Amino acid sequence: MTPDPGIALIVFFILVFVGVLLWKIIKSPFLLQNIKQSKKALVEDILKQLYHVEYSGRTASLNAMAGALKLSDRKIVRLVEDMSSHDLLKLDQDILQLTSSGRDYALKIIRVHRLWEKYLSERTGFDKSEWHDRAEQKEHTLTEEQAEQLYHDLGNPRFDPHGDPIPTEAGEIIETHWKSLSSLSENTVARIVHLEDEPEVIYQQIVAEKLHIGSQVKIIASDNHEVKFFSEGEEYRFSPIVASNISVKELTAQEKYEEDVVRLSSLDPGEKAIILGISSECRGASRRRLLDLGFIAGSSIETEFASPSKEPKAYSIRNTIIALRGDQADLILIKKVNE
Amino acid sequence: MVEIKDKASEIIDLASELRWQVGDDFHDRLTEGIYADAATITERVEQKPDRKISYSFDRALDKILTSGTFGFPIMILVLAVILWITIQGANYPSGALAVLLLDIVYPFLKDISSNLGIYWWIDGLLIDGVYMAVAWVIAVMLPPMAIFFPLFTLLEDFGYLPRVAFNLDSLFKRAGAHGKQALTMSMGWGCNAAGVVATRIIDSPRERLIAIITNNFSLCNGRWPTQILIATIFIGALVPSGLANLTASLSVITIAMLGVFFTFFSSWVLSKTMLKGEVSTFTLELPPYRPPRFWKTIYTSIIDRTLIVLWRAIVFAAPAGAIIWLISNIDVGDVSIANLAISSFDGFGVLLGLNGVILLAYIVAIPANEIVIPTILMLTVSNLAITGVGAGEGVMFELDSSSETAEILKAGGWTVLTGINLMLFSLLHNPCSTTIYTIYQETKSWKWTSVASILPVIMGFVVTFLVAQVWRLIAGV
Amino acid sequence: MSDQIASSCDDCAFHNIAQLKKLGVNVEDTDYVVTLAGNPNTGKSTVFNALTGLRQHTGNWPGKTVTRAEGGFSYNEKRFKLVDLPGTYSLLSTSQDEEIARNFILFGRPDVTIIVVDASRLERNLNLVLQVLEITNKAVLCLNLMDEARRHDIIVDERTLAKDLGIPVVPTSARSLEGIPQLIETIYKVASNEIVCKPHKIKNLAGPVNKAVEQLSSKISKIYPEMPNSRWIAMRLLDGDERVVTALQNNEFLIA
Ligand SMILES: Nc1nc2c(ncn2[C@@H]2O[C@H](COP(=O)(O)OP(=O)(O)O)[C@@H](O)[C@H]2O)c(=O)[nH]1
Ligand SMILES: [Mg+2]
């Protein structure tokens, strides 16, 4: 009556394997239902890519486009023919060019993409490493009305969480005058305004180093091999390739470089400090909660004690003891005070 | 109505325009403004000594309770003491309640009903079914809860619990959870429904859901007696009698620890998959220590934790008792529904290293884990048509000595594997209906209620299945 | 606005029956609706128990009461209905608890809002107090945990505080019932308009923010002259609070 255990196990593992396989298939973009969708998506991706290329002042050939989007030659030719018949782009001696309606369309897609990233950053708990990919999916499915509703709900934002401007409904986009971090010379001070999220590997590296939009930086040394700079009390060394994905803006006359701004996480038990502000990388519910608890510029704060595993740490602020985790304390900027 | 819409949209349009002008940081500026007012007023009205002096006792205590050296030992000690007091202290009143409700009141009710000449099936349904289930739940559940919760509440009132959350947070953070889950988890050892209610202290949506869904992996006190009995019969018997008790206790603790492992494991999986999009924030305020008010605290915690949970359990146990009685007494053809169900579940049960009786018992005992063992015994006896034990079809019972119980179970074909897998399945199965109901109340979401209910059963099936096959491969049976 | 009502009827109830019903509070057989707001762990439930004689769960743990508790008491032949709200640090963010508390005060318009604060951590608590005072004019500050404040040598000048906030301040130690009779009396006086509050309005907003708030709130007052808390509504609209937008569109602010 008892089934043979060996056979039972084999059947079980086969079932698990089949289950996983089915799941993968359902999730994959190659499923039938996605095919119609994916033509629209491809068209939109080409427009977007072309917009980015033109915006940065370069030109795109048919081949380059096929390479960038990993499409076969046959396919790209067919798509481009189709798109030029709809007056979205022109092919001029192997150079692709957006028409004005193509450009409007591209901006709409970019608008949805950036709005969705903004939404993910403010209203959900997805990690920032996931925003881009999720927005890549969403930009092809959100209708125009939904996008407008979202724009409204989010409070008419002007920038996405990476610092990129969000095009307006009418297709206008704020011109940005950014420099790349690698172009700055020694001793210049600037503020990080944008972290490029493509290519992914470089973005992940920047994120892992805990560099934040809105932080001030001061270049210590910069040459062809390495860019060395200070930000929020930490020293960073990046290769110029990575550094060129970090955009900065030189400080305006009103902004002053805070020489000794450091992160709350560096405040040891017994030390006191004044809060200078919360980094703009701290968003949504977390940011509001910290503000509610009184983590406000000008407040005094003291580290009281750390938990047995060093994290979280307990801080005393406004006569209350609040414990924060390390990644939160990284986003609160302070200036230490000595007695 | 049109007028209202017009007025409203006039305002809303102006608001949109102004929002564009003030920019993204309105919220920050507003909060700063409010705090600036608060600071001005406080400055005028408050006089306080240097904080170093006025809270020196609190800080000194904090340094000890959260220190690298003493933090963990103190926590473990406190928990051990509470569990010990609960288990030891509950023994006597539980026994007394069982004698009262099962040995005195039950025959008394039966007498009355037979004197009044009530139909046998009304008497059976109400007294043998409903009354027995309720009596069992009260006898097993009330005493430990009435001890466990007040002790916990005293610690809560003193202000120690937030320090426990503080100490353990980094551990829970690795599983994507909140340090406060340490408390809701411990509360679950008393009662999962109470543990689920306690997740209200976690104010981050994602971590709160994690704590709710995984609370069932805390072995609640309705399940401890099952674990202890089965461990004594099947595992204690494997070693020389001098070590039997110790081995049985250790194996129960192992199961509870396995529960902790499953809590962390499924918290981690949930936070990486289904729940990763839920908003997550972390704040943990460490309130000042306040001397608790002993009697008042005990009184209120008995009233609003113990009795409320007990009441819910009774409400759910009563119909379960009726169903148990009915399935044993209604025949289809020549066999009772219970026996039919047992034989149809048996194949699947055996595949999992369990049997049809256990699966049926767990289905009818969804309302209350306390009645699993009595139901198993009753079903086994009736299924094998053993005479001389038990009190009749559909009447749950328990035996005074574990050796008599062992005999019945062995007659039912139980082996060590059945024992071990029952212990595992008792840890890993759906929450009781009180807890399911509470989860719904707390989340107001069918989705999360179903996940919390189904996830553990699936894990239970997989784990018992794997254990059974591996056991059989090794043992060669 | 309270003047307006006071002129027609001196001690009339002020609460919004229709909205309260929507919020699930039965106000039949009640003269006044009173609510308890405050930061977590300031003793709201303890005050609630002291006033009603009920036994709500209390605990030294921020975040205990999430669902609303209700009870009642009477004083001077008036029946009061008391509603315990979840403890919140603020009413500006949009967590579930804050929404419950905010909606109750904003739409239910209780006759008195008792704001329970921890006397030993006044500054943090005032953040919420000042927000509540933007919403309602009828409030009492319950300066609780006075015994704790004394134990830590913290002294609060309650008369200056009352003057600065423009509402009555009652020091209490709810656990030992100290100050509770005075609290009840004050609640009665505010409910029956014997005491008319002139609550503090937030002053220190940064220039451009303040300008935007003023501009929007004067627009709201112009369109709805009877709206008591136009400044608060302006702040919420500028913060993008969708619930307030819907409320405006459905006309939920005014007594139907
Ligand atoms: N010493 C003292 N403790 C109090 C007083 N009021 C409340 N408590 C305690 O403070 C803690 C929090 O009270 P609770 O009513 O649950 O606060 P809530 O979260 O605002 O509802 C509990 O441990 C109470 O016993 C008081 O006036 N004096
Ligand atoms: Mg409470």
Side-chain angles (χ1 to χ4, degrees):
Chain A
M1 178 168 160
T2 320
D4 184 83
I7 294 175
L9 276 177
I10 292 169
V11 172
F12 174 79
F13 284 116
I14 290 176
L15 284 179
V16 170
F17 182 73
V18 170
V20 172
L21 216 62
L22 278 177
W23 179 251
K24 283 258 157 77
I25 292 174
I26 291 171
K27 284 271 150 181
S28 82
F30 302 111
L31 205 66
L32 281 175
Q33 67 187 41
N34 288 340
I35 283 181
K36 219 168 81 209
Q37 168 66 38
S38 74
K39 166 145 188 227
K40 176 170 176 276
L42 281 176
V43 167
E44 292 176 352
D45 284 344
I46 293 175
L47 288 173
K48 210 171 56 157
Q49 180 71 18
L50 197 52
Y51 175 84
H52 287 309
V53 170
E54 290 186 356
Y55 185 80
S56 61
R58 289 170 289 150
T59 57
S61 68
L62 205 52
N63 272 336
M65 183 60 80
L69 296 177
K70 302 199 181 67
L71 291 173
S72 70
D73 287 351
R74 233 185 51 197
K75 189 144 197 176
I76 190 109
V77 169
R78 213 156 0 107
L79 281 167
V80 165
E81 276 170 1
D82 200 29
M83 288 165 77
S84 39
S85 76
H86 284 90
D87 192 33
L88 292 172
L89 48 70
K90 288 190 303 231
L91 187 60
D92 187 8
Q93 297 169 350
D94 198 40
I95 299 293
L96 289 168
Q97 275 176 342
L98 280 175
T99 62
S100 83
S101 61
R103 170 190 214 73
D104 284 349
Y105 194 164
L107 280 168
K108 279 211 177 82
I109 302 303
I110 292 172
R111 174 174 165 81
V112 175
H113 181 101
R114 293 181 180 170
L115 275 175
W116 195 252
E117 287 196 342
K118 180 78 178 169
Y119 167 79
L120 292 175
S121 71
E122 291 288 336
R123 302 285 166 87
T124 73
F126 288 110
D127 189 71
K128 57 180 159 191
S129 58
E130 286 194 29
W131 296 341
H132 180 77
D133 286 346
R134 286 183 177 268
E136 280 295 278
Q137 301 288 320
K138 201 71 185 181
E139 65 191 12
H140 305 303
T141 57
L142 220 58
T143 66
E144 218 160 304
E145 296 86 71
Q146 285 169 326
E148 279 338 288
Q149 186 59 42
L150 189 64
Y151 174 66
H152 210 79
D153 290 354
L154 291 170
N156 314 348
R158 284 182 280 186
F159 295 95
D160 79 357
H162 304 291
D164 284 313
I166 298 173
T168 63
E169 199 183 353
E172 290 154 27
I173 187 162
I174 301 171
E175 289 283 324
T176 50
H177 303 283
W178 297 335
K179 292 181 175 169
S180 108
L181 184 66
S182 54
S183 71
L184 295 186
S185 55
E186 233 165 87
N187 276 331
T188 20
V189 289
R191 190 161 48 83
I192 299 178
V193 285
H194 176 245
L195 301 174
E196 180 54 51
D197 58 5
E198 278 177 295
E200 173 118 12
V201 270
I202 294 186
Y203 181 60
Q204 297 299 5
Q205 190 184 341
I206 297 173
V207 169
E209 292 279 355
K210 297 185 181 174
L211 211 55
H212 305 141
I213 291 176
S215 307
Q216 295 184 336
V217 294
K218 179 176 190 173
I219 308 291
I220 305 168
S222 179
D223 58 30
N224 291 339
H225 303 292
E226 192 178 69
V227 181
K228 195 165 134 193
F229 61 96
F230 259 128
S231 179
E232 298 177 351
E234 316 277 320
E235 192 188 288
Y236 293 89
R237 293 152 184 267
F238 281 143
S239 71
I241 299 180
V242 176
S244 64
N245 273 9
I246 302 170
S247 309
V248 295
K249 215 166 149 178
E250 279 180 52
L251 298 185
T252 60
Q254 290 94 338
E255 285 176 302
K256 109 171 182 292
Y257 181 71
E258 290 279 0
E259 195 63 61
D260 29 49
V261 44
V262 291
R263 296 173 180 168
L264 181 58
S265 47
S266 70
L267 194 71
D268 288 326
E271 288 186 314
K272 292 185 179 169
I274 300 288
I275 294 181
L276 296 175
I278 305 178
S279 158
S280 49
E281 293 262 352
C282 177
R283 303 185 173 89
S286 303
R287 183 183 192 89
R288 290 196 300 266
R289 178 47 54 85
L290 286 177
L291 288 169
D292 290 343
L293 288 172
F295 288 83
I296 298 224
S299 320
S300 3
I301 189 166
E302 176 178 349
T303 306
E304 290 284 353
F305 47 91
S307 96
S309 29
K310 302 283 167 273
E311 215 195 295
K313 280 186 196 159
Y315 303 95
S316 108
I317 178 165
R318 287 167 212 274
N319 215 21
T320 57
I321 306 281
I322 311 272
L324 296 180
R325 288 177 173 172
D327 44 4
Q328 292 174 296
D330 276 338
L331 295 175
I332 296 172
L333 303 177
I334 54 161
K335 195 171 171 171
K336 293 190 187 180
V337 287
N338 308 317
E339 316 196 10
Chain B
M1 211 51 208
V2 176
E3 199 202 353
I4 294 168
K5 284 266 185 260
D6 280 353
K7 284 177 169 180
S9 58
E10 199 179 323
I11 295 171
I12 294 162
D13 289 346
L14 177 63
S16 298
E17 194 188 314
L18 289 170
R19 279 178 85 182
W20 176 266
Q21 287 171 23
V22 271
D24 285 350
D25 56 0
F26 177 80
H27 190 94
D28 289 35
R29 297 290 93 78
L30 182 60
T31 316
E32 282 168 12
I34 300 173
Y35 261 110
D37 273 27
T40 320
I41 297 175
T42 314
E43 184 102 346
R44 277 164 56 83
V45 303
E46 186 187 74
Q47 274 179 46
K48 61 172 184 242
D50 186 5
R51 197 174 37 78
K52 281 263 130 44
I53 306 161
S54 73
Y55 282 94
S56 55
F57 171 76
D58 284 42
R59 289 303 82 78
L61 196 54
D62 272 337
K63 293 243 157 77
I64 298 170
L65 293 180
T66 65
S67 81
T69 337
F70 301 113
F72 282 102
I74 292 176
M75 258 172 358
I76 292 168
L77 192 72
V78 168
L79 185 66
V81 168
I82 289 187
L83 286 180
W84 185 80
I85 296 179
T86 306
I87 292 170
Q88 288 301 315
N91 255 339
Y92 174 74
S94 261
L97 271 177
V99 169
L100 176 71
L101 296 175
L102 304 176
D103 298 347
I104 300 176
V105 176
Y106 172 72
F108 179 69
L109 289 175
K110 283 299 252 191
D111 266 4
I112 295 182
S113 100
S114 75
N115 286 340
L116 291 178
I118 292 177
Y119 287 116
W120 71 272
W121 55 271
I122 296 189
D123 160 287
L125 188 65
L126 294 183
I127 302 178
D128 294 337
V130 175
Y131 173 78
M132 279 301 254
V134 169
W136 227 291
V137 169
I138 294 178
V140 179
M141 192 165 168
L142 180 60
M145 291 218 310
I147 298 174
F148 185 78
F149 287 139
L151 289 177
F152 224 78
T153 312
L154 279 178
L155 286 182
E156 173 179 334
D157 255 18
F158 174 58
Y160 179 55
L161 298 189
R163 272 74 186 177
V164 174
F166 179 70
N167 286 346
L168 291 173
D169 183 65
S170 65
L171 211 63
F172 280 87
K173 186 189 170 193
R174 263 176 250 162
H178 196 295
K180 287 180 184 172
Q181 193 176 326
L183 288 324
T184 64
M185 202 173 94
S186 326
M187 202 74 139
W189 288 331
C191 167
N192 294 132
V196 169
V197 175
T199 60
R200 289 175 183 179
I201 57 177
I202 302 175
D203 61 359
S204 168
R206 184 199 296 168
E207 285 78 1
R208 175 152 187 239
L209 275 173
I210 290 177
I212 288 177
I213 295 173
T214 59
N215 196 272
N216 184 47
F217 295 121
S218 291
L219 198 65
C220 70
N221 81 42
R223 294 184 263 173
W224 287 98
T226 310
Q227 298 283 350
I228 293 170
L229 181 73
I230 300 297
T232 314
I233 294 176
F234 290 98
I235 299 180
L238 294 179
V239 293
S241 58
L243 293 173
N245 258 337
L246 183 68
T247 316
S249 311
L250 282 179
S251 56
V252 175
I253 291 174
T254 309
I255 293 285
M257 287 300 120
L258 203 62
V260 175
F261 166 78
F262 276 109
T263 302
F264 278 104
F265 176 71
S266 34
S267 297
W268 179 75
V269 171
L270 285 167
S271 73
K272 290 276 174 290
T273 54
M274 298 183 90
L275 293 175
K276 69 177 169 187
E278 299 289 323
V279 173
S280 161
T281 61
F282 178 84
T283 44
L284 175 59
E285 186 174 348
L286 302 174
Y289 293 101
R290 290 174 191 156
R293 288 247 174 127
F294 193 78
W295 293 112
K296 200 160 177 181
T297 303
I298 289 189
Y299 176 83
T300 44
S301 86
I302 288 185
I303 294 292
D304 70 15
R305 273 192 179 139
T306 314
L307 290 188
I308 285 175
V309 172
L310 184 71
W311 173 242
R312 278 192 189 174
I314 289 174
V315 167
F316 283 106
I323 289 172
I324 291 172
W325 188 85
L326 287 174
I327 60 169
S328 317
N329 282 281
I330 298 180
D331 289 356
V332 179
D334 270 345
V335 243
S336 67
I337 297 184
N339 283 337
L340 263 179
I342 289 171
S343 49
S344 58
F345 293 153
D346 217 35
F348 185 56
V350 170
L351 186 66
L352 301 180
L354 300 168
N355 58 40
V357 170
I358 297 177
L359 291 186
L360 179 62
Y362 268 101
I363 292 173
V364 293
I366 286 178
N369 282 296
E370 287 79 358
I371 57 177
V372 162
I373 288 291
T375 309
I376 284 177
L377 288 176
M378 182 273 285
L379 290 174
T380 307
V381 168
S382 109
N383 190 241
L384 298 176
I386 297 176
T387 47
V389 264
E393 299 293 309
V395 189
M396 292 174 259
F397 65 92
E398 227 166 31
L399 296 166
D400 293 335
S401 79
S402 57
S403 59
E404 284 173 72
T405 313
E407 260 166 49
I408 293 183
L409 294 181
K410 281 175 185 152
W414 289 46
T415 61
V416 179
L417 172 65
T418 325
I420 293 178
N421 271 2
L422 175 60
M423 288 172 77
L424 287 169
F425 196 68
S426 152
L427 175 71
L428 302 171
H429 69 278
N430 55 284
C432 68
S433 48
T434 316
T435 307
I436 296 177
Y437 172 75
T438 309
I439 293 175
Y440 180 73
Q441 285 296 311
E442 294 295 316
T443 59
K444 290 280 181 259
S445 145
W446 287 114
K447 181 180 169 195
W448 298 127
T449 310
S450 334
V451 170
S453 309
I454 294 168
L455 185 78
V457 202
I458 295 178
M459 290 173 84
F461 285 157
V462 171
V463 169
T464 50
F465 170 81
L466 291 177
V467 170
Q469 309 319 316
V470 171
W471 179 279
R472 285 169 186 155
L473 275 181
I474 293 173
V477 281
Chain C
M1 148 260 26
S2 53
D3 307 334
Q4 217 183 58
I5 290 171
S7 62
S8 59
C9 157
D10 272 347
D11 55 356
C12 266
F14 169 76
H15 56 261
N16 189 340
I17 297 176
Q19 284 290 337
L20 282 169
K21 202 171 254 165
K22 243 206 255 164
L23 291 162
V25 181
N26 181 4
V27 289
E28 277 169 38
D29 306 321
T30 318
D31 295 308
Y32 297 117
V33 176
V34 180
T35 189
L36 281 164
N39 279 7
N41 209 28
T42 51
K44 282 179 307 305
S45 299
T46 313
V47 172
F48 179 90
N49 292 344
L51 290 174
T52 60
L54 293 173
R55 302 250 180 264
Q56 269 293 307
H57 183 85
T58 60
N60 190 7
W61 230 153
K64 268 279 93 158
T65 321
V66 168
T67 42
R68 274 185 342 234
E70 286 175 34
F73 64 95
S74 37
Y75 178 74
N76 260 2
E77 288 164 17
K78 295 283 183 192
R79 287 152 308 173
F80 292 79
K81 173 145 234 164
L82 189 62
V83 180
D84 188 13
L85 295 176
T88 61
Y89 293 113
S90 146
L91 299 174
L92 293 174
S93 319
T94 30
S95 76
Q96 197 195 347
D97 299 4
E98 289 177 26
E99 189 133 343
I100 295 174
R102 195 274 310 274
N103 288 353
F104 194 86
I105 306 175
L106 189 58
F107 303 124
R109 307 226 278 180
D111 297 291
V112 184
T113 302
I114 309 168
I115 317 170
V116 183
V117 304
D118 178 344
S120 59
R121 313 152 98 149
L122 192 58
E123 188 177 345
R124 222 270 304 281
N125 281 260
L126 281 179
N127 175 40
L128 178 74
V129 175
L130 296 174
Q131 293 175 33
V132 173
L133 294 186
E134 287 286 335
I135 305 181
T136 177
N137 284 343
K138 308 187 80 175
V140 174
L141 192 81
C142 170
L143 197 57
N144 194 33
L145 290 155
M146 281 304 283
D147 52 336
E148 286 287 309
R150 277 192 295 262
R151 195 157 71 86
H152 292 115
D153 296 323
I154 296 169
I155 300 165
V156 177
D157 171 2
E158 64 232 29
R159 297 180 64 189
T160 313
L161 184 61
K163 220 161 64 203
D164 282 1
L165 293 176
I167 57 169
V169 172
V170 185
T172 61
S173 299
R175 219 163 67 162
S176 50
L177 302 183
E178 183 190 316
I180 297 297
Q182 290 86 329
L183 182 63
I184 295 182
E185 194 186 323
T186 316
I187 294 168
Y188 173 80
K189 284 185 177 160
V190 172
S192 60
N193 288 323
E194 207 171 299
I195 298 179
V196 176
C197 307
K198 278 237 164 342
H200 174 100
K201 299 290 164 189
I202 297 162
K203 299 190 181 79
N204 275 313
L205 293 183
V209 171
N210 197 36
K211 225 176 81 196
V213 171
E214 288 301 330
Q215 196 178 339
L216 188 56
S217 88
S218 59
K219 176 103 182 178
I220 297 171
S221 309
K222 215 171 81 203
I223 296 180
Y224 295 111
E226 66 283 45
M227 185 93 79
N229 33 28
S230 60
R231 244 171 73 95
W232 170 260
I233 291 169
M235 288 175 193
R236 295 318 299 145
L237 289 174
L238 289 171
D239 210 359
D241 190 329
E242 284 303 305
R243 181 68 185 86
V244 173
V245 172
T246 338
L248 266 184
Q249 285 164 342
N250 300 336
N251 209 23
E252 286 176 70
F253 288 106
L254 304 167
I255 297 176

